[in-house]
Amino acid sequence: MSKNFWQSVILGVAMVSLCCAQSLRREADNTGTLIGTAVRPSLFLETAYASTLAREFSMVEPEDAMKWRALRPDANTYDFRQGDEVVHFAQIHQMKVRGHCLVWDHDNPDWLAHGHFTSRDLSRLLHEHITRVMKHYKGQVFAWDVINEAMDEKGNVRDSIWYNEPGIGLSEKDTAYIEQVFRWARKADPHALLFYNEAEGEGLNRKSDAIYAMMKDFKGRGVPINGVGLQMHVPTLELDTSALAASLSANIARLTALGLQVHITELDVALPIDANGVSRPDDLVREADLYRGIVRACLGHAGCTAIQTWGFTDKYSWIGSHSRHTRGQGLPFDRTYQPKSAYRAVLEELSAGRLPPH
Ligand code: G3I
């Protein structure tokens, strides 16, 4: 047999195993669900990062690259380079892109946060930003977190430069500025899915009640909105997994009953870690249980259409940097890109498909 013959056999076997190997994205495709993760484009050059990402996920969201701080070095400049890298990676690997986020009170550049602008200036800046960024990514970003974390834990609209410090100049109702940004977003891109994204309102509580009321009001009055992003950062293991999953499922049920989609947008589970960054074996099992319950709760509702983790390897996660290294190991792959029990739990649930929640 010629060398060429054996080379084609080897290539063929490699292609078959690539195409048919089990992966999160393959199982998610079978259920009609998107499986996504937040990404940092500076890491695409790391082979294990890029290959794991491309193999396992069907959707990416820039962790920081489409925030104001990254896109707007100054008031007159748009720097789309990092965001474009995410879109390019996604196109090469047939992935969808979620955009994050057009309006937030955090991670804004200093010129904006400390600029002492008038309401009129802020309104013009925000309208222009939404329009320019959405038009740039039209047809490439299929869904946007239009506004992020606008409510406090009591369900009141949070103080922010856009709302009341000094705000964009809409005083008739506290949710008026939120409504306005959705209307601007719809004009900028008539086809993108528009999401309200929020933390700590995943299950039934005061905040999720307020979000539900706002969504009901918006849907009733034809405000353009397509979905709610439930972030799902699990901060502790001191939670009853079944109670958490049941409460999440009930919230997804009422939101989807309004005709909205739900995306789980920022899933991770902060585990206690020792001085070497290692967690207890039992905690890894509990983490997997939490992942399982959350994925199952989503798959129990046809309107829950995407599940996304906030990063995928414990090597790169916001958790370590925000908790003085007492918490970590929150993601489905460990620091060497080996799948953890949490990964296997997600894979099993996706393989089981869209069954009603247990
Ligand atoms: O890019 C600047 C760099 O120019 C500067 O030199 C450096 C010095 O501090 O900071 C860099 O910005 C950092 C940015 O990440 C990009 O790396 C910010 O300081 C840092 O605060 C920022 O943290 C991000 C945080 O949101 C705030 O935007 C985290 O990576 C990101 O994981 C986290 O993600 C949020 C979601 O957007 C919303 N939901 C909660 C979630 C977790 O906090």
Side-chain angles (χ1 to χ4, degrees):
M1 298 282 173
S2 75
K3 195 174 159 203
N4 278 352
F5 171 80
W6 286 113
Q7 271 175 346
S8 17
V9 170
I10 290 165
L11 187 65
V13 170
M15 284 177 74
V16 169
S17 59
L18 195 67
C19 99
C20 304
Q22 211 181 19
S23 67
L24 298 181
R25 79 181 281 178
R26 182 153 178 255
E27 298 307 321
D29 278 354
N30 290 340
T31 66
T33 313
L34 289 162
I35 182 84
T37 187
V39 294
R40 301 178 186 175
S42 58
L43 301 173
F44 291 159
L45 288 175
E46 190 179 320
T47 310
Y49 185 92
S51 61
T52 308
L53 177 58
R55 186 186 70 233
E56 298 290 343
F57 296 94
S58 54
M59 178 173 83
V60 282
E61 173 165 318
E63 184 172 352
D64 295 304
M66 289 186 190
K67 290 175 179 168
W68 274 75
R69 185 189 292 280
L71 289 178
R72 304 297 302 279
D74 62 60
N76 303 313
T77 311
Y78 287 79
D79 181 350
F80 290 114
R81 283 175 299 179
Q82 290 187 61
D84 289 355
E85 279 185 56
V86 175
V87 169
H88 184 61
F89 186 95
Q91 285 171 344
I92 292 174
H93 299 288
Q94 290 90 46
M95 301 159 125
K96 296 240 187 198
V97 182
R98 272 190 112 257
H100 173 86
C101 50
L102 296 163
V103 187
W104 193 20
D105 196 46
H106 278 53
D107 226 6
N108 289 321
D110 290 345
W111 66 262
L112 173 65
H114 308 299
H116 304 292
F117 292 103
T118 63
S119 295
R120 200 188 158 101
D121 290 335
L122 283 174
S123 178
R124 183 187 49 75
L125 275 167
L126 187 55
H127 186 190
E128 187 207 87
H129 179 86
I130 290 172
T131 306
R132 182 87 189 268
V133 174
M134 289 189 78
K135 280 186 186 289
H136 180 85
Y137 288 116
K138 211 174 199 167
Q140 299 178 321
V141 168
F142 85 109
W144 276 100
D145 287 335
V146 175
I147 181 158
N148 187 49
E149 297 170 28
M151 301 261 185
D152 68 18
E153 66 287 355
K154 293 184 183 145
N156 297 319
V157 175
R158 220 183 252 288
D159 296 339
S160 85
I161 51 166
W162 307 119
Y163 167 47
N164 60 352
E165 294 178 346
I168 61 172
L170 306 171
S171 54
E172 67 272 22
K173 196 174 178 193
D174 50 5
T175 56
Y177 93 96
I178 303 176
E179 175 175 342
Q180 179 62 75
V181 296
F182 277 100
R183 293 191 186 280
W184 284 335
R186 176 52 74 233
K187 274 230 165 78
D189 184 345
H191 302 295
L193 298 177
L194 308 181
F195 276 72
Y196 176 81
N197 194 50
E198 188 57 88
E200 296 165 358
E202 294 86 1
L204 301 176
N205 57 29
R206 284 170 84 178
K207 190 190 268 193
S208 66
D209 287 349
I211 295 167
Y212 175 72
M214 178 171 73
M215 292 301 129
K216 198 169 173 198
D217 170 45
F218 282 4
K219 288 295 281 182
R221 291 188 299 110
V223 177
I225 182 154
N226 302 99
V228 175
L230 303 178
Q231 293 190 4
M232 215 65 252
H233 292 288
V234 182
T236 169
L237 290 173
E238 319 289 308
L239 291 163
D240 178 316
T241 305
S242 345
L244 179 141
S247 186
L248 170 64
S249 180
N251 194 31
I252 296 174
R254 66 177 175 173
L255 290 168
T256 54
L258 292 175
L260 294 165
Q261 291 190 38
V262 167
H263 287 177
I264 305 290
T265 51
E266 304 187 13
L267 172 58
D268 53 24
V269 179
L271 301 190
I273 51 172
D274 66 18
N276 299 315
V278 178
S279 54
R280 287 186 293 270
D282 283 2
D283 287 348
L284 290 168
V285 174
R286 296 219 50 215
E287 176 180 52
D289 284 347
L290 281 157
Y291 267 88
R292 184 184 299 285
I294 291 161
V295 171
R296 191 177 289 177
C298 173
L299 294 178
H301 303 275
C304 187
T305 49
I307 300 165
Q308 177 170 263
T309 56
W310 203 239
F312 57 97
T313 164
D314 291 337
K315 191 172 178 184
Y316 304 112
S317 164
W318 76 286
I319 294 173
S321 55
H322 286 248
S323 53
R324 296 175 196 275
H325 307 293
T326 58
R327 306 243 151 208
Q329 305 228 343
L331 294 166
F333 291 87
D334 72 12
R335 298 176 66 84
T336 63
Y337 295 94
Q338 293 307 304
K340 295 160 58 183
S341 301
Y343 171 90
R344 287 182 282 278
V346 176
L347 190 72
E348 282 166 21
E349 287 306 312
L350 290 170
S351 311
R354 284 192 171 274
L355 303 169
H358 302 212

